């Protein structure tokens, strides 16, 4: 014990000794965690310093520190003089809400269905099959979707024509775009989303199911009264996380599927930031839009967390 530690109050000395003991005991675990912490710091927190360009007239020649301050002028221009901004916010919210309403329950339903499969080998086959689309990049998967919906050669339009109807140019009409985005997202990601739910289902005590069967409960009743309540905590956590990212539709999917003819309904904040910031060189404007997007997401997740803690007694923190 050194002189500095002796000078500390008793409760602080105990805390220091306990910290050192825990650090020495779990040093390998802390070493593993440190890799993730370094990653988070370098690629998540350190870049936040660049958000200052949202309040500057950024110039590549002058750099971040040398660019002149303009205060809130970029935000004022976005909200009052940019005719595209209300449209992209509206498109983002519509697609996000459709994903939340239609897409969020999909992996829950799929996990409940997989959990009811009795054959172990068949169950593993189904799980592997529904996981596979997740590992395909949106560049490839989006190309598959576009080919499926091709008016002349796509399998979907071939079925439509076989039923006696005319082929539909899905990728050229605005009214179909949101449905394509939501359904393709479910197709690609629902299987991967079942992992956490299946893990939560396997943690439920099997004796509860056995007791329900003895009492005469059917499969639907066990799902309704045992399985769903058993995964409710996981559902709440993932719902809160999705609400927090409601302003972030996802750049890759929209960029691959959306064409200029569909910008009226398909242009969202992430693609707009890329097009204006990288393509148009308006880095300050793009940073301001991105900062607005992040602030709205933060407000939504804090509000949703408060509501869940207040009424459902479950929350992230």
């Amino acid at each position: 014990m050194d002189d500095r530690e002796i000078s500390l109050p008793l409760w602080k000395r105990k805390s220091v000794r306990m910290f050192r003991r825990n650090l020495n005991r779990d040093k390998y675990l802390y070493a593993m965690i440190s890799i993730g912490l370094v990653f988070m710091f370098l690629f998540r927190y350190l870049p936040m310093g660049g958000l200052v360009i949202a309040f500057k007239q950024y110039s590549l020649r002058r750099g971040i520190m040398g660019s002149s301050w303009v205060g809130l002028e970029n935000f004022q221009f976005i909200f009052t003089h940019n005719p595209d901004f209300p449209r992209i916010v509206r498109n983002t919210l519509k697609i996000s809400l459709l994903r939340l309403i239609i897409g969020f329950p999909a992996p829950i339903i799929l996990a409940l269905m997989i959990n009811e499969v009795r054959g172990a080998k068949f169950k593993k086959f189904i799980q592997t099959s529904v996981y596979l689309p997740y590992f395909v990049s949106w560049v490839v998967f989006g190309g598959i979707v576009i080919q499926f919906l091709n008016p002349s050669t796509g399998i979907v339009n071939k079925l439509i024509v076989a039923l006696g109807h005319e082929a539909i140019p899905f990728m050229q009409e605005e009214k179909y775009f949101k449905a394509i985005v939501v359904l393709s997202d479910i197709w690609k990601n629902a299987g991967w989303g079942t992992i956490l739910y299946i893990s939560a289902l396997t943690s439920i005590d099997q004796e509860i199911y056995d007791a329900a069967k003895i009492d005469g409960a059917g499969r639907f009743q066990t799902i309704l009264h045992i399985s769903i309540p058993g995964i409710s905590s996981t559902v709440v956590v993932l719902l809160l996380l999705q609400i927090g990212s409601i302003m972030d539709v996802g750049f890759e999917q929209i960029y691959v599927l959306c064409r200029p003819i569909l910008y009226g309904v398909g242009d969202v904040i992430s693609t707009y930031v890329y097009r204006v910031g990288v393509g148009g060189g308006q880095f300050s404007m793009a940073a301001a839009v991105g900062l607005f997007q992040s602030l709205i997401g933060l407000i939504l997740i804090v509000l949703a967390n408060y509501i869940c803690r207040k009424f459902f007694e479950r929350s992230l923190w």
Side-chain angles (χ1 to χ4, degrees), residues 29-62:
L29 294 177
Y30 284 118
M32 293 175 61
I33 293 173
S34 64
I35 299 173
L37 293 177
V38 170
F39 176 85
M40 290 292 293
F41 175 75
L42 291 178
F43 298 101
R44 292 292 184 269
Y45 288 96
L46 193 61
M48 287 185 183
L51 290 175
V52 71
I53 68 175
F55 306 95
K56 291 190 170 189
Q57 188 62 43
Y58 178 70
S59 170
L60 285 173
R61 182 175 60 84
R62 296 179 179 178

Short mmCIF file of all heavy atoms in Angstrom, two decimals, residues 29-62:
data_model
loop_
_atom_site.label_atom_id
_atom_site.label_comp_id
_atom_site.label_asym_id
_atom_site.label_seq_id
_atom_site.Cartn_x
_atom_site.Cartn_y
_atom_site.Cartn_z
N LEU A 29 -10.54 -11.67 -19.08
CA LEU A 29 -11.84 -11.19 -19.56
C LEU A 29 -11.77 -9.70 -19.90
O LEU A 29 -12.31 -9.26 -20.93
CB LEU A 29 -12.92 -11.43 -18.50
CG LEU A 29 -13.25 -12.89 -18.18
CD1 LEU A 29 -14.28 -12.96 -17.06
CD2 LEU A 29 -13.77 -13.59 -19.43
N TYR A 30 -11.07 -8.92 -19.06
CA TYR A 30 -10.92 -7.50 -19.35
C TYR A 30 -10.09 -7.29 -20.62
O TYR A 30 -10.33 -6.33 -21.38
CB TYR A 30 -10.26 -6.79 -18.17
CG TYR A 30 -11.18 -6.56 -17.00
CD1 TYR A 30 -10.92 -7.13 -15.75
CD2 TYR A 30 -12.32 -5.78 -17.13
CE1 TYR A 30 -11.76 -6.92 -14.68
CE2 TYR A 30 -13.17 -5.56 -16.06
CZ TYR A 30 -12.89 -6.14 -14.85
OH TYR A 30 -13.74 -5.93 -13.79
N ALA A 31 -9.12 -8.17 -20.85
CA ALA A 31 -8.32 -8.07 -22.08
C ALA A 31 -9.18 -8.31 -23.31
O ALA A 31 -9.03 -7.61 -24.33
CB ALA A 31 -7.16 -9.08 -22.04
N MET A 32 -10.11 -9.26 -23.22
CA MET A 32 -11.03 -9.52 -24.34
C MET A 32 -11.97 -8.34 -24.55
O MET A 32 -12.21 -7.92 -25.69
CB MET A 32 -11.83 -10.79 -24.07
CG MET A 32 -10.99 -12.06 -24.06
SD MET A 32 -11.96 -13.51 -23.59
CE MET A 32 -13.19 -13.53 -24.90
N ILE A 33 -12.48 -7.78 -23.46
CA ILE A 33 -13.39 -6.64 -23.58
C ILE A 33 -12.68 -5.42 -24.14
O ILE A 33 -13.28 -4.62 -24.88
CB ILE A 33 -14.00 -6.32 -22.19
CG1 ILE A 33 -14.91 -7.46 -21.74
CG2 ILE A 33 -14.78 -5.01 -22.22
CD1 ILE A 33 -15.42 -7.30 -20.32
N SER A 34 -11.40 -5.28 -23.81
CA SER A 34 -10.66 -4.08 -24.24
C SER A 34 -10.62 -3.96 -25.77
O SER A 34 -10.60 -2.84 -26.29
CB SER A 34 -9.23 -4.12 -23.69
OG SER A 34 -8.51 -5.22 -24.21
N ILE A 35 -10.61 -5.08 -26.48
CA ILE A 35 -10.61 -5.03 -27.95
C ILE A 35 -11.88 -4.35 -28.45
O ILE A 35 -11.83 -3.46 -29.31
CB ILE A 35 -10.48 -6.44 -28.53
CG1 ILE A 35 -9.16 -7.08 -28.08
CG2 ILE A 35 -10.56 -6.40 -30.06
CD1 ILE A 35 -9.03 -8.54 -28.48
N GLY A 36 -13.02 -4.75 -27.89
CA GLY A 36 -14.28 -4.13 -28.28
C GLY A 36 -14.35 -2.67 -27.88
O GLY A 36 -14.88 -1.83 -28.62
N LEU A 37 -13.81 -2.35 -26.69
CA LEU A 37 -13.83 -0.96 -26.24
C LEU A 37 -12.96 -0.07 -27.14
O LEU A 37 -13.35 1.06 -27.46
CB LEU A 37 -13.33 -0.87 -24.80
CG LEU A 37 -14.23 -1.52 -23.74
CD1 LEU A 37 -13.57 -1.43 -22.36
CD2 LEU A 37 -15.60 -0.84 -23.71
N VAL A 38 -11.80 -0.59 -27.54
CA VAL A 38 -10.93 0.18 -28.46
C VAL A 38 -11.63 0.39 -29.80
O VAL A 38 -11.60 1.48 -30.37
CB VAL A 38 -9.59 -0.54 -28.65
CG1 VAL A 38 -8.78 0.09 -29.78
CG2 VAL A 38 -8.78 -0.52 -27.36
N PHE A 39 -12.29 -0.66 -30.28
CA PHE A 39 -13.04 -0.54 -31.55
C PHE A 39 -14.13 0.52 -31.43
O PHE A 39 -14.29 1.36 -32.32
CB PHE A 39 -13.64 -1.89 -31.92
CG PHE A 39 -14.51 -1.86 -33.14
CD1 PHE A 39 -13.96 -1.97 -34.40
CD2 PHE A 39 -15.89 -1.69 -33.03
CE1 PHE A 39 -14.76 -1.93 -35.53
CE2 PHE A 39 -16.69 -1.64 -34.15
CZ PHE A 39 -16.13 -1.77 -35.41
N MET A 40 -14.90 0.46 -30.34
CA MET A 40 -15.97 1.43 -30.15
C MET A 40 -15.42 2.84 -30.06
O MET A 40 -16.00 3.78 -30.62
CB MET A 40 -16.75 1.09 -28.87
CG MET A 40 -17.59 -0.16 -28.96
SD MET A 40 -18.98 0.00 -30.10
CE MET A 40 -19.97 1.22 -29.24
N PHE A 41 -14.30 3.00 -29.38
CA PHE A 41 -13.73 4.34 -29.24
C PHE A 41 -13.23 4.87 -30.58
O PHE A 41 -13.50 6.03 -30.93
CB PHE A 41 -12.57 4.31 -28.23
CG PHE A 41 -11.85 5.62 -28.11
CD1 PHE A 41 -12.42 6.68 -27.42
CD2 PHE A 41 -10.60 5.80 -28.71
CE1 PHE A 41 -11.76 7.89 -27.32
CE2 PHE A 41 -9.93 7.02 -28.60
CZ PHE A 41 -10.51 8.06 -27.91
N LEU A 42 -12.54 4.05 -31.35
CA LEU A 42 -11.94 4.51 -32.60
C LEU A 42 -12.97 4.77 -33.69
O LEU A 42 -12.86 5.74 -34.44
CB LEU A 42 -10.92 3.48 -33.10
CG LEU A 42 -9.63 3.34 -32.29
CD1 LEU A 42 -8.75 2.25 -32.88
CD2 LEU A 42 -8.87 4.66 -32.25
N PHE A 43 -14.00 3.91 -33.76
CA PHE A 43 -14.92 3.98 -34.89
C PHE A 43 -16.31 4.48 -34.52
O PHE A 43 -17.15 4.65 -35.41
CB PHE A 43 -15.04 2.60 -35.55
CG PHE A 43 -13.74 2.10 -36.12
CD1 PHE A 43 -13.00 1.16 -35.45
CD2 PHE A 43 -13.26 2.58 -37.33
CE1 PHE A 43 -11.80 0.69 -35.96
CE2 PHE A 43 -12.08 2.13 -37.86
CZ PHE A 43 -11.34 1.18 -37.18
N ARG A 44 -16.59 4.70 -33.23
CA ARG A 44 -17.90 5.20 -32.83
C ARG A 44 -17.81 6.56 -32.11
O ARG A 44 -18.58 7.47 -32.42
CB ARG A 44 -18.60 4.18 -31.92
CG ARG A 44 -19.00 2.90 -32.63
CD ARG A 44 -20.11 3.14 -33.64
NE ARG A 44 -20.56 1.89 -34.24
CZ ARG A 44 -20.08 1.37 -35.34
NH1 ARG A 44 -19.09 1.98 -35.98
NH2 ARG A 44 -20.56 0.24 -35.83
N TYR A 45 -16.89 6.68 -31.17
CA TYR A 45 -16.84 7.90 -30.36
C TYR A 45 -15.87 8.94 -30.93
O TYR A 45 -16.18 10.13 -30.95
CB TYR A 45 -16.45 7.55 -28.91
CG TYR A 45 -17.56 6.85 -28.17
CD1 TYR A 45 -17.59 5.46 -28.08
CD2 TYR A 45 -18.59 7.57 -27.58
CE1 TYR A 45 -18.61 4.82 -27.41
CE2 TYR A 45 -19.62 6.93 -26.91
CZ TYR A 45 -19.62 5.55 -26.83
OH TYR A 45 -20.65 4.91 -26.17
N LEU A 46 -14.70 8.50 -31.37
CA LEU A 46 -13.72 9.45 -31.90
C LEU A 46 -14.26 10.23 -33.11
O LEU A 46 -14.06 11.44 -33.20
CB LEU A 46 -12.43 8.71 -32.26
CG LEU A 46 -11.20 9.58 -32.54
CD1 LEU A 46 -10.85 10.42 -31.30
CD2 LEU A 46 -10.01 8.71 -32.94
N PRO A 47 -14.96 9.58 -34.05
CA PRO A 47 -15.51 10.33 -35.19
C PRO A 47 -16.55 11.38 -34.82
O PRO A 47 -16.87 12.25 -35.64
CB PRO A 47 -16.13 9.24 -36.08
CG PRO A 47 -15.40 8.00 -35.72
CD PRO A 47 -15.14 8.13 -34.25
N MET A 48 -17.09 11.30 -33.59
CA MET A 48 -18.08 12.31 -33.18
C MET A 48 -17.50 13.71 -33.18
O MET A 48 -18.23 14.69 -33.29
CB MET A 48 -18.63 11.97 -31.79
CG MET A 48 -19.57 10.80 -31.76
SD MET A 48 -20.27 10.56 -30.10
CE MET A 48 -21.25 9.09 -30.37
N GLY A 49 -16.17 13.81 -33.03
CA GLY A 49 -15.55 15.13 -33.09
C GLY A 49 -15.77 15.81 -34.42
O GLY A 49 -15.77 17.05 -34.50
N GLY A 50 -15.97 15.03 -35.48
CA GLY A 50 -16.21 15.61 -36.79
C GLY A 50 -17.57 16.24 -36.94
O GLY A 50 -17.83 16.95 -37.93
N LEU A 51 -18.48 16.01 -35.97
CA LEU A 51 -19.81 16.62 -36.05
C LEU A 51 -19.76 18.14 -35.98
O LEU A 51 -20.74 18.81 -36.29
CB LEU A 51 -20.69 16.09 -34.91
CG LEU A 51 -21.11 14.62 -35.02
CD1 LEU A 51 -21.88 14.21 -33.78
CD2 LEU A 51 -21.97 14.40 -36.26
N VAL A 52 -18.60 18.67 -35.57
CA VAL A 52 -18.46 20.12 -35.49
C VAL A 52 -18.62 20.78 -36.85
O VAL A 52 -18.99 21.97 -36.93
CB VAL A 52 -17.09 20.48 -34.86
CG1 VAL A 52 -15.96 20.16 -35.83
CG2 VAL A 52 -17.04 21.93 -34.43
N ILE A 53 -18.41 20.03 -37.93
CA ILE A 53 -18.55 20.64 -39.26
C ILE A 53 -20.00 20.97 -39.57
O ILE A 53 -20.27 21.74 -40.50
CB ILE A 53 -17.96 19.74 -40.37
CG1 ILE A 53 -18.80 18.47 -40.54
CG2 ILE A 53 -16.51 19.40 -40.10
CD1 ILE A 53 -18.35 17.62 -41.70
N ALA A 54 -20.95 20.41 -38.79
CA ALA A 54 -22.35 20.79 -38.97
C ALA A 54 -22.59 22.25 -38.61
O ALA A 54 -23.57 22.86 -39.05
CB ALA A 54 -23.26 19.89 -38.13
N PHE A 55 -21.68 22.84 -37.82
CA PHE A 55 -21.80 24.23 -37.40
C PHE A 55 -20.76 25.12 -38.10
O PHE A 55 -20.54 26.24 -37.69
CB PHE A 55 -21.61 24.33 -35.88
CG PHE A 55 -22.54 23.43 -35.11
CD1 PHE A 55 -22.13 22.16 -34.71
CD2 PHE A 55 -23.83 23.84 -34.80
CE1 PHE A 55 -22.97 21.34 -34.00
CE2 PHE A 55 -24.67 23.01 -34.09
CZ PHE A 55 -24.25 21.75 -33.69
N LYS A 56 -20.16 24.58 -39.15
CA LYS A 56 -19.16 25.33 -39.90
C LYS A 56 -19.46 25.31 -41.39
O LYS A 56 -20.26 24.49 -41.86
CB LYS A 56 -17.76 24.74 -39.67
CG LYS A 56 -17.21 24.95 -38.26
CD LYS A 56 -15.74 24.54 -38.20
CE LYS A 56 -15.11 24.95 -36.88
NZ LYS A 56 -13.64 24.76 -36.89
N GLN A 57 -18.82 26.21 -42.10
CA GLN A 57 -18.85 26.17 -43.56
C GLN A 57 -17.60 25.40 -43.97
O GLN A 57 -16.55 25.96 -44.24
CB GLN A 57 -18.84 27.59 -44.15
CG GLN A 57 -19.07 27.63 -45.66
CD GLN A 57 -20.42 27.08 -46.04
OE1 GLN A 57 -21.43 27.37 -45.40
NE2 GLN A 57 -20.45 26.28 -47.10
N TYR A 58 -17.73 24.08 -44.00
CA TYR A 58 -16.56 23.21 -44.12
C TYR A 58 -15.91 23.33 -45.49
O TYR A 58 -16.58 23.34 -46.52
CB TYR A 58 -16.94 21.76 -43.85
CG TYR A 58 -15.80 20.80 -44.00
CD1 TYR A 58 -14.75 20.79 -43.07
CD2 TYR A 58 -15.77 19.89 -45.05
CE1 TYR A 58 -13.70 19.91 -43.20
CE2 TYR A 58 -14.73 19.00 -45.19
CZ TYR A 58 -13.69 19.01 -44.26
OH TYR A 58 -12.64 18.14 -44.41
N SER A 59 -14.59 23.40 -45.47
CA SER A 59 -13.80 23.46 -46.69
C SER A 59 -12.70 22.42 -46.60
O SER A 59 -11.98 22.33 -45.59
CB SER A 59 -13.18 24.86 -46.86
OG SER A 59 -12.23 24.85 -47.91
N LEU A 60 -12.56 21.60 -47.63
CA LEU A 60 -11.51 20.58 -47.64
C LEU A 60 -10.12 21.21 -47.57
O LEU A 60 -9.20 20.66 -46.96
CB LEU A 60 -11.64 19.72 -48.90
CG LEU A 60 -12.77 18.69 -48.93
CD1 LEU A 60 -12.86 18.04 -50.30
CD2 LEU A 60 -12.56 17.62 -47.86
N ARG A 61 -9.97 22.35 -48.20
CA ARG A 61 -8.66 23.00 -48.22
C ARG A 61 -8.28 23.52 -46.83
O ARG A 61 -7.13 23.39 -46.40
CB ARG A 61 -8.67 24.16 -49.24
CG ARG A 61 -7.34 24.88 -49.38
CD ARG A 61 -7.44 25.91 -50.50
NE ARG A 61 -8.46 26.89 -50.22
CZ ARG A 61 -8.29 27.97 -49.46
NH1 ARG A 61 -7.11 28.19 -48.88
NH2 ARG A 61 -9.26 28.83 -49.28
N ARG A 62 -9.23 24.09 -46.12
CA ARG A 62 -8.96 24.65 -44.80
C ARG A 62 -8.98 23.60 -43.69
O ARG A 62 -8.36 23.78 -42.64
CB ARG A 62 -9.97 25.75 -44.46
CG ARG A 62 -9.89 26.95 -45.39
CD ARG A 62 -10.94 27.97 -44.99
NE ARG A 62 -10.90 29.15 -45.84
CZ ARG A 62 -11.74 30.18 -45.73
NH1 ARG A 62 -12.68 30.16 -44.78
NH2 ARG A 62 -11.64 31.21 -46.54
#
